[in-house]
Amino acid sequence: MTDEPLVLGIETSCDETGVGIVRGRTLLADAVASSVDAHARFGGVVPEVASRAHLEAMVPTLDRACETAGVALDDVDAIAVTSGPGLAGALLVGVAAAKSLAFALGKPLYGVNHLAAHVAVDQLEHGPLPDPCLALLVSGGHSSLLRVADVTGDVVPLGATIDDAAGEAFDKVARLLGLPFPGGPHIDRMAREGDQVAIDFPRGLTSRRDLERHRFDFSFSGLKTAVARWVEARERSGEPVPVADVAASFQEAVCDVLVRKALDAAAAEGIDDLLIGGGVAANSRLRALAGERAAAVGVRVRVPRPGLCTDNGAMVAALGSSMVAAGRPPSSLDLPADSSLPVTEVLAG
Ligand code: KG4
Ligand code: ZN
C-alpha cells in the first residue's frame, strides 16, 4: 500500500472524452474516446456534436479507465475535472459528471485549468517540474508562453497568439492542401518528404517593430494567408502544387517562430528548463528543432510523449494529484464550467 493519493481526472474541453487515473505521479490509466471522426467532414470541431459525443462516451470511458487501473470508483481519493477553458457545452458534460461522482462518492472535487494540465502531465513521465520552468503550450485552441513557478498556483502568461492558434494554423493549411482533419499529423507526415527551405513563408511577429510590442506573442494568420496565396498562384498557373514542400516549409515557419520565441523568453526570464505541451507538441519537427536549438544555448527541454500531448484525462488527474499533494483546498460543488477561464486561475471555484 502507498499513501499517495489516487486521483481520477476527467477532460471534456474539446473533442476528446478523457478519463485518467493516477496514483501520485504514477499513471495507472488513460482512457480516451475521440469524436474527431464526427467532425472531420466539417473541417473543425462542431461544439454541439462534441457535447453529445461526450455524453455518450462518459460512462464507458470511466468504466474503461477503472478497469485498466484495476480500481473501483470507491477507491478514488479525489476527482479532478477540466473546468475551462474550452467549449462551454463540452466542458459542462465533464463538470457535471465530476460533480456527480464527487457528490455520490463523498470525495473532494478539483476544477482545474486545461492549460495548466497540459503542463502538469509531464510529471507523469519526467518527474517533478523544475521550478521555475518556461512552458510553451501549443494546441488547437491555444498558443502561449507561460512562466510556471508552481503548476498548482503560480502560472504567469508572458505571451499568446493574437489570432490563430498554432494547431489551428496546421488544421487550416492542411485543409487548403486537401489533407484530412485534424491536419497537424498529416502535415507532419507529408513534411518528411518535402524540402523545408523550398518556400520562404513569413515568420509572424518577428520584425523589429513587432518585437517591441509583441516580443512573446504569436501570429499565424498571416502565414496561413501566405500559404493560401502561394497555392492559389500555383493552381492558376496550371502547375501542380508540391504538397510535401508546402507542408515542410509551412511547418518550418511555425516551428522556427515557436522555438525562437520560447528560447528568447527563457533567456529573458533566466530560466533553463523549457517544457512543451499541447497537441502541436506532438510535431516531430518542433521536437527536433527545440531540442537542437535549446541544447546550443544550454536549455533543457521536456516534452511528454505524443499521446500525452494531445487532450487526455491523465493530464487532469496529474494536475489534480499535484493539487492534493500541495494541500490546496478543493473546489465547491457548484463549480462552474468556464469557457474562458484565464490561465492564471489554475484551480477554479
Ligand atoms: O491539445 P489538443 O489535442 O487539443 C486542443 O486543446 O486544442 O491539440 C489538437 C491540435 C490540432 O490542431 C492538431 O492538428 C494538432 O494539435 N496536432 C499536431 C500534431 N498532432 C496534433 N500539429 C502538428 N503536428 C502534429 N504531429
Ligand atoms: Zn488541449
Side-chain angles (χ1 to χ4, degrees), residues 16 114 118 139-141 167-168 170-171 182-185 188 278-280 282-283 309-311:
E16 262 93 37
H114 180 82
H118 270 304
S139 71
E168 201 178 344
F170 269 96
D171 296 339
D188 196 343
V280 180
N283 184 268
C309 287
T310 44
D311 289 349

Side-chain angles (χ1 to χ4, degrees), residues 27 38 55-56 160 168 249 308-309 316:
L27 178 61
L55 264 179
E56 287 167 6
E168 201 178 344
S249 301
L308 292 178
C309 287
V316 181

